Amino acid sequence: MPKKLNIGLVGYGFMGRTHSNAYRKVNNFFELDYHPVLKAVSGRNAEGVKKFADQWGYESTESDWRKIIDRKDIDAVDICTPNNLHKEIAIAAAQAGKMILCEKPLSMDTKEGEEMVAAIEKAGVANTVWYNYRRAPAVTMAKQLIDEGRLGRIFHYRANFLQDWTINADLPQGGTALWRLDAAAAGSGVTGDLLAHCIDTALWLNGSITTVNAMTETFVKERMHNLTGKMEQVKIDDACTFFCRFGNGSLGLFESTRYARGHKALYTLEVNGEKASLKWDLHDLHRLQWFDHKDEGRLRGWRSIHVSDGDQPYMKNWWVPGLQIGYEHTFIHQVADFLKAIQEGKPCPPTFRDALETQKVCDAVLSSAKEEGSVKKV
Amino acid sequence: MPKKLNIGLVGYGFMGRTHSNAYRKVNNFFELDYHPVLKAVSGRNAEGVKKFADQWGYESTESDWRKIIDRKDIDAVDICTPNNLHKEIAIAAAQAGKMILCEKPLSMDTKEGEEMVAAIEKAGVANTVWYNYRRAPAVTMAKQLIDEGRLGRIFHYRANFLQDWTINADLPQGGTALWRLDAAAAGSGVTGDLLAHCIDTALWLNGSITTVNAMTETFVKERMHNLTGKMEQVKIDDACTFFCRFGNGSLGLFESTRYARGHKALYTLEVNGEKASLKWDLHDLHRLQWFDHKDEGRLRGWRSIHVSDGDQPYMKNWWVPGLQIGYEHTFIHQVADFLKAIQEGKPCPPTFRDALETQKVCDAVLSSAKEEGSVKKV
Amino acid sequence: MPKKLNIGLVGYGFMGRTHSNAYRKVNNFFELDYHPVLKAVSGRNAEGVKKFADQWGYESTESDWRKIIDRKDIDAVDICTPNNLHKEIAIAAAQAGKMILCEKPLSMDTKEGEEMVAAIEKAGVANTVWYNYRRAPAVTMAKQLIDEGRLGRIFHYRANFLQDWTINADLPQGGTALWRLDAAAAGSGVTGDLLAHCIDTALWLNGSITTVNAMTETFVKERMHNLTGKMEQVKIDDACTFFCRFGNGSLGLFESTRYARGHKALYTLEVNGEKASLKWDLHDLHRLQWFDHKDEGRLRGWRSIHVSDGDQPYMKNWWVPGLQIGYEHTFIHQVADFLKAIQEGKPCPPTFRDALETQKVCDAVLSSAKEEGSVKKV
Amino acid sequence: MPKKLNIGLVGYGFMGRTHSNAYRKVNNFFELDYHPVLKAVSGRNAEGVKKFADQWGYESTESDWRKIIDRKDIDAVDICTPNNLHKEIAIAAAQAGKMILCEKPLSMDTKEGEEMVAAIEKAGVANTVWYNYRRAPAVTMAKQLIDEGRLGRIFHYRANFLQDWTINADLPQGGTALWRLDAAAAGSGVTGDLLAHCIDTALWLNGSITTVNAMTETFVKERMHNLTGKMEQVKIDDACTFFCRFGNGSLGLFESTRYARGHKALYTLEVNGEKASLKWDLHDLHRLQWFDHKDEGRLRGWRSIHVSDGDQPYMKNWWVPGLQIGYEHTFIHQVADFLKAIQEGKPCPPTFRDALETQKVCDAVLSSAKEEGSVKKV
């Protein structure tokens, strides 16, 4: 008999949808002891939360996240709120002994993150942070290849996350839809929203970052604020670039912006090693580019691997070779791994502690950018 | 209050999974009056069908498809069996007044198909055939562009469906897993399995085919048969190529094989018109290639359109620009359209009658190939 | 001391330029005993031929090709005229004991071609036909790979040559610039102009073709004729498609058209073998796509090989890895091979006899198309 | 009658070949008053220089570059030596009133460059520096598009130049072939050799750079020195990364390395503007990627423009649409432009003065890297 895992979802925006979908599908495709149950969802707008609950089959709704935490029938709290609420909710949930699945970035800054890690580790509850791109099968395969030593010594790691949705200066900031442009709710701009993804993957694939040098820019200096109705200074970073050194001696280069016309969600990463190199691109997430120097000389070339085969990570659970999966499956994989981890009593990375490392890099980046390019230790 | 539509699934193989997934997800993403209910699934292997029912949440199981048809609580029968059973089940279901969703190809041949169409139209039941690739958003957008006249007069239509999974001569034929290699169960080889997809899309995008000239080949002449345990002649077509003329004066070129090393499920189509051209490739199904001659001369080039934006077909129901969907979503779209169609009392193409046209082309192709390349009217 | 090879060029259109460039450059990049000398060029327009001679450094001009053949100081005659003059010039040149380099297609039809081969073989003169694409380094490498047995048994060969330059119905036919649209000068349309290239490469890479089934179409039925000034019937084939069987048991599929909007000179070829497959595309002629089934399973993918390395055909004579060559270099390679062949007393393929095989396939294709799709032996 | 321009080439290595080829071909393809004559080539190895002269048709040889400068019959001196000789030769040539074509980078450092500019401007001689990539037709078209305002305000400029040829630690430094690894001959590593190209194009396309922050690394610390026969410290930069600000407010990001396994000469650049973006890649130098936001919404996508059409820069002088040119043509274009410039009495950019700006950026980059990431004004 499957064990039920009762989920309480806090926040029901875009991420609320991706997570709900993951909970609903995971047991159709993965054989697991635990079966998530969509027990409750909370949100301040009663009508909105009701509609969401109906659409996704949540058994109940709450208008205050504290109710979710108080409820005895909730096993795990899933935090999908703007960043400025993560800390309070996570600590309360930990103190109530709930498992926690928290959206990224972990926190507004390192200090908050440290408090959260302290609370959660004290409580000893299962936890994970939704850095979902680790579990794109092509990215997971990249991890396997690196861990197997197939790249040899690593020389370079580069990643960028390019978007273009805020070029229009008439776009306001703040409120439900646009809190990502409001520093009070988001903490930072592309650094926490986009580069955090790149950093999380980088730390996972290539180990620790020791120093960073960064530059940021805010191209549109003022935007109408949805909550105040007035033009207000934009305090987030519209663009952020940094180079860094990794503990393994390799060099890193990262860039993110929301002003790269023509790119919607272009998260790319590339790793150059002594023996081999690999590249990945979120816009075609089912492919991994692979170059292997040990291929016969005249036949060397970048391979475009269609990651849809049963011997590639997660893919035996899906369809047949040649048939691709998409963005939403990265979340399903994380839920599958989380359920397996609690079944086995193991952590499900990235844990809060892992995500804190990403937070530290973000903080160093933002700090370096304040005195443009100054070297900061992580 | 949503209206329930009770589904009875016959067969629970690969297609049983894709359909079940579609029924389970459709109402999370599309606002529709009808909500499918996974009422029953039938299959001859009691253990297998039970496991499948548990995994997908079917309320009950049956060991004989006739039970499904007899049950009063079933509204719609979904036929996922090998091709040689389609006719009997469909006609019985029609006679019982059930709606029918039938896997492709419609039938073993045109004669069977005509009987099925007669029965279903006599019964007046809602019906559709799972030519799912019409509903890849990029393909649906191709349809829009053609219908808007953006390509002008069409000169060329070409499509192919290339796989490589039967190159190994040790692969047996027949039985549950490999019925596609057994002419008695499948009717034909790549013609009915793969070219039928290409033909369905072609008829939809480019209108009727009037004449065909075809060539087929069976590269591996004998394979062990799973049911008899003996080496037996392979009677399906391993590869099929044909050229044709369309009613609109354009030329067509089609090819399919399971012996194209390196291609897993490479279904590509290209349409060349006077004013514009387009291309699509199942291996990257979220992209449409588009060339528009009215672009300024020196800046003309093929555009790679990432079909993930809200103004592109079906995509407002999914995620945000740049985040791709995958293979399974084509089935969800067909269920969404089917539910909407019955809500509005309209047909959901491709209907059995539409699919019969594809069957006629397939028959003409196989007939032409018998006297290599002889011209056959459709 | 280098030996001089005095060239007499007949015709000075587009191909006159590509050949002249090849003669002028070959000794800068290839160490060879023979050095071509641009001795004379002939053409009916005195002013035009003078200008061409000045631009390219020809020592003299003639207004009649017969003069070229009569001159004792000419070693080799290069035929760059419209197709309908090839035979007469080639036979005269052979009888005069000149070496001959003839543009493709060899002749207007097989009968002409046979007369040419008889004459040239009787004369025993060195000869070659300018099917230049064999000598794109990526194509030459494809030949190596096939000859080394790396593809194993071949199942499929497919090629197409797609252009779009005659879609405009106002384009006239005939005369100097547009003789390719005039059947009297060209013999056929895309079959002789474009498919002949595809067939030459196919015969070279995959051996003989035994039977063909073809379809042709002329989309624009009448065009103004430049020579008569009147609207006249277009007698060439605007598009041609055929499938065929090769002597080695593989299936072939060929298509050409000048009505594929968006394609300028898209000559692609693909070969699918038991063990490996390869693809090539003239629009990126410095790349070879390669799929090798013996690559480790999860890492299999199509490699995009940048053919610019010293261990790849012809490339040690050019630049350094990563730096591409272009279209014109295919002609330089052919001149280099021709010079080396005469140095060694060996034939330089494709010889007239080789090119006659292509002519036979073209004739069979055109004949099959007359009774749409009828099977024709080559 | 054409005017002769007598060329004296100093150095006959790789660049000597590319330039000689350009001089020999330019008048076949471009109508120009001036015709270069390969008058003399100098080099210290008498046998080597003789062989080179024979291969390329130089009329005479010299063993000392001073002889070239002394000769009255030399109009223009082309400097193809290692970087450490540029200054002395250029200043001597200027003082002798010769026109000068100098390989890049201009000089070992800014100070040298300033002396060279002073000398050349005092002498008032025609001059240009071989930053050849400006004249890849796709890059020249990028310049046109930017100058026409089609990108609008520029937000981002990024470029990299990635190679992998020095990963092998057994590769020695110094001497004729490997002077690029010897700081005494090259001045710097990838900064002067590769990033200088990226910087030159960037300054041309996007205007001045105001500040830089850089990081460099030398992965292989010691290599055998060809001249001393001993293991010696490697003093060049193996890799260099920097970010910067442009005078127009846009952000720049540059990277170069010779340790990016799988990349041979991957020079890519991308410019993101408010209205449009473009990308280019030396590995497919005949293509420009173009995204135009004013394209209709659902049809927006990156266009891959095959730059081979007569209305694209330089291309009317070459073949027909679809047929690509290659690396060597960038040099031919520069010679054509140089000859036209002297005909018209205009400068041929990049002049020495233009190239000095690139030198200043390089110096600022190397200076910033010394105190990792410190901000340096240019």
Side-chain angles (χ1 to χ4, degrees), chain A residues 14 17-18 21 24-25 27-31 35 51 54-57 133 264-265 281-287 306 308-309 316-329, chain B residues 14 17-18 21 24-25 27-31 35 51 54-57 133 264-265 281-287 306 308-309 316-329:
Chain A
F14 182 78
R17 291 177 74 219
T18 63
N21 180 57
R24 280 183 56 90
K25 285 183 67 171
N27 299 113
N28 299 142
F29 293 94
F30 291 81
E31 289 198 37
H35 284 214
K51 187 175 170 198
D54 286 349
Q55 189 168 4
W56 287 97
Y133 294 123
K264 300 305 167 191
D281 175 349
L282 175 57
H283 277 196
D284 299 288
L285 68 81
H286 59 296
R287 289 187 177 272
H306 200 274
S308 58
D309 219 325
K316 74 174 193 295
N317 295 83
W318 296 103
W319 313 106
V320 294
L323 302 179
Q324 75 193 60
I325 59 170
Y327 166 72
E328 71 197 72
H329 300 77
Chain B
F14 182 77
R17 291 176 75 218
T18 65
N21 180 56
R24 281 184 56 90
K25 286 183 67 171
N27 298 115
N28 300 142
F29 294 94
F30 291 81
E31 290 197 37
H35 284 213
K51 188 178 169 194
D54 286 350
Q55 188 168 6
W56 287 97
Y133 293 123
K264 299 305 169 191
D281 174 349
L282 174 57
H283 277 195
D284 298 288
L285 67 82
H286 59 296
R287 290 188 176 271
H306 200 274
S308 58
D309 220 326
K316 75 172 192 298
N317 295 83
W318 296 103
W319 312 106
V320 294
L323 301 179
Q324 76 194 57
I325 58 170
Y327 165 73
E328 71 197 72
H329 299 78

Side-chain angles (χ1 to χ4, degrees), chain C residues 14 17-18 21 24-25 27-29 31 51 55-56 133 264-265 282-287 306 317-329, chain D residues 14 17-18 21 24-25 27-29 31 51 55-56 133 264-265 282-287 306 317-329:
Chain C
F14 182 77
R17 292 176 74 219
T18 63
N21 180 58
R24 279 183 58 88
K25 286 183 65 171
N27 298 115
N28 299 143
F29 293 94
E31 290 197 36
K51 188 177 170 195
Q55 189 167 6
W56 287 97
Y133 294 123
K264 300 305 169 191
L282 175 56
H283 276 196
D284 298 288
L285 67 82
H286 57 298
R287 288 187 178 272
H306 200 274
N317 295 83
W318 297 105
W319 313 108
V320 295
L323 301 180
Q324 76 194 57
I325 58 169
Y327 165 72
E328 71 198 71
H329 300 77
Chain D
F14 183 77
R17 292 177 73 217
T18 64
N21 180 55
R24 281 184 56 89
K25 286 183 65 172
N27 298 115
N28 300 144
F29 293 95
E31 289 198 36
K51 188 177 170 195
Q55 188 168 7
W56 288 97
Y133 294 123
K264 300 304 169 191
L282 174 58
H283 276 195
D284 298 287
L285 67 82
H286 59 297
R287 290 187 176 272
H306 200 274
N317 295 84
W318 296 104
W319 313 108
V320 294
L323 301 180
Q324 76 195 58
I325 58 170
Y327 165 72
E328 70 196 72
H329 300 78

